[in-house]
Amino acid sequence: MRRRGAPDLALTQLLVETIVLVSFVLALRALPKRLWGGVVRIKWGRALMAIALAVMVIYIAIAMMGARQEASISLAWPELAYNQGYGKNIVNVALVDMRVWDTFGEITVLAAAATGVASLIFAGRGFGSRVRAHEVAPGSIDSGSEAMGGKDSKEVELRIARRFASSGNQDWLMAGSTLVAERRSIIFEVVTRLMFHSVLILSVYTLLTGHNTPGGGFAGGLIAGLALTIRYLAGGRIELSESMRIAPGMLIGGGIALAGLSGIVPLLMGDEIFTTYAMEFWFFGDHKFVTSTIFDIGVYLVVLGLVQDVLRSLGSEIDSLSEGRGPVDRHDFVEASRTGVGR
């Protein structure tokens, strides 16, 4: 039997590990400098119980793998994927067709996880509205709470903010206008300008071609999330706010709704739920559209919304709290516009 590699697994593992690494680094900023005040004592009873449980699980897994008597059903997947799922990528067809219920349950779990993370970070506070770049004084982000110390300095900042708001400056990357000088990286900003749109196009390409080549909605959503991560790291929390045109909750909810709708439509046509159809057409060449791609688009939106929610919760919200004056920027700017300070 011919052995094949697993490019889908390698691609997904690389993308997931990258996103998880960024999430861990962002979350570590919220931890105190010292996690323990005294000497850590090892509880040997619990340690031995954990080791025993791990050994038992390993033994059960090895025994189950050696107890197989019949041929694996996965041997028939290549033929099923091509003849019934209308795709050449066995992994993607299995996720959006042959085992679509598992995938639908998994994206629901992802939505619940994103909601849980956001609820923990924003506990006791509202999510608030987006702070736009023209509402923040230039060079004031991440400058520390001491920048708001005196009354005179605050009036100067509000005056600068008002002039900046009326200047009509709508640069694509706002890092040079909002971040303090020591936080800027010119090389990173240039690389972000070159890579951001290309990475987004690559994510859409990975989504649409995943039925026949390595990729799919999950990998495409992770790639798009990495593009937003690069933009956030280059421009800070205000740049992340500018890039999030649609709220993460709407993306996650819309993705689940679209995935569910792709399964309900076949019922209206008299077929089973999540039945897949293939439509062939000509557009500068012969093409084939498979309806399971709609479900894959829903997965793409859910994953993208999850990454946005993690960046907003563990990234921009912690940035705002560390500055010690996160909610003040918007209120002060609106107040200045109303009273005419700086005219």
Side-chain angles (χ1 to χ4, degrees):
M1 179 179 178
R2 184 180 178 183
R3 297 289 182 179
R4 299 179 182 271
D8 281 272
L9 178 60
L11 176 63
T12 303
Q13 185 174 3
L14 175 63
L15 295 173
V16 169
E17 293 294 337
T18 305
I19 291 293
V20 170
L21 176 62
V22 173
S23 303
F24 269 106
V25 172
L26 293 177
L28 287 175
R29 301 178 305 162
L31 295 178
K33 295 181 179 180
R34 295 183 59 88
L35 295 180
W36 299 280
V39 179
V40 179
R41 297 181 178 179
I42 300 177
K43 298 182 178 180
W44 293 105
R46 297 183 180 181
L48 292 176
M49 183 179 296
I51 294 174
L53 179 61
V55 171
M56 182 181 67
V57 171
I58 293 175
Y59 175 79
I60 292 175
I62 295 175
M64 291 177 62
M65 293 175 62
R68 181 184 296 275
Q69 300 294 330
E70 302 293 336
S72 174
I73 191 176
S74 61
L75 297 177
W77 279 15
E79 183 179 355
L80 292 174
Y82 188 76
N83 294 329
Q84 297 186 15
Y86 310 104
K88 300 178 181 179
N89 185 359
I90 303 172
V91 175
N92 184 259
V93 174
L95 292 176
V96 301
D97 186 279
M98 293 185 289
R99 301 191 64 176
V100 63
W101 277 110
D102 290 341
T103 307
F104 189 78
E106 289 170 0
I107 63 175
T108 305
V109 171
L110 287 179
T115 304
V117 171
S119 300
L120 290 174
I121 298 297
F122 292 93
R125 303 185 306 277
F127 286 89
S129 55
R130 289 193 308 163
V131 180
R132 306 302 294 271
H134 65 273
E135 299 173 347
V136 182
S140 63
I141 298 301
D142 202 26
S143 59
S145 58
E146 64 275 2
M148 300 291 290
K151 180 178 180 181
D152 295 337
S153 62
K154 190 169 183 177
E155 291 181 356
V156 171
E157 183 174 335
L158 293 176
R159 194 176 296 114
I160 294 175
R162 186 167 182 79
R163 286 203 301 268
F164 178 67
S166 61
S167 64
N169 190 345
Q170 295 295 329
D171 292 339
W172 176 74
L173 193 63
M174 298 292 183
S177 301
T178 60
L179 284 177
V180 294
E182 56 268 23
R183 275 290 308 276
R184 293 186 62 189
S185 173
I186 302 302
I187 297 178
F188 202 180
E189 292 179 24
V190 173
V191 171
T192 301
R193 291 176 184 272
L194 293 175
M195 292 183 58
F196 179 76
H197 299 91
S198 300
V199 175
L200 283 183
I201 294 175
L202 177 62
S203 72
V204 176
Y205 174 82
T206 305
L207 163 67
L208 297 179
T209 61
H211 212 63
N212 295 305
T213 60
F218 192 82
L222 290 176
I223 294 176
L226 286 176
L228 292 177
T229 303
I230 295 173
R231 189 167 174 177
Y232 162 67
L233 295 177
R237 64 182 180 90
I238 301 300
E239 186 63 32
L240 178 64
S241 178
E242 289 284 342
S243 64
M244 291 169 52
R245 300 297 181 180
I246 303 177
M250 294 184 62
L251 281 177
I252 295 175
I256 294 178
L258 183 62
L261 184 63
S262 67
I264 295 176
V265 169
L267 288 178
L268 303 178
M269 302 176 63
D271 293 318
E272 295 182 359
I273 191 170
F274 286 119
T275 299
T276 300
Y277 306 98
M279 296 172 287
E280 297 183 0
F281 60 94
W282 186 93
F283 183 76
F284 296 100
D286 295 327
H287 299 278
K288 180 173 62 176
F289 176 78
V290 183
T291 56
S292 59
T293 304
I294 300 176
F295 181 89
D296 226 7
I297 295 175
V299 176
Y300 178 93
L301 295 177
V302 171
V303 174
L304 179 58
L306 172 66
V307 176
Q308 284 193 0
D309 217 359
V310 170
L311 291 176
R312 182 186 63 168
S313 303
L314 300 180
S316 61
E317 178 64 12
I318 294 180
D319 290 341
S320 178
L321 295 177
S322 64
E323 293 172 20
R325 53 184 179 89
V328 178
D329 289 330
R330 184 177 181 87
H331 178 270
D332 286 348
F333 181 84
V334 174
E335 186 67 22
S337 302
R338 185 179 62 83
T339 58
V341 176
R343 291 182 179 178

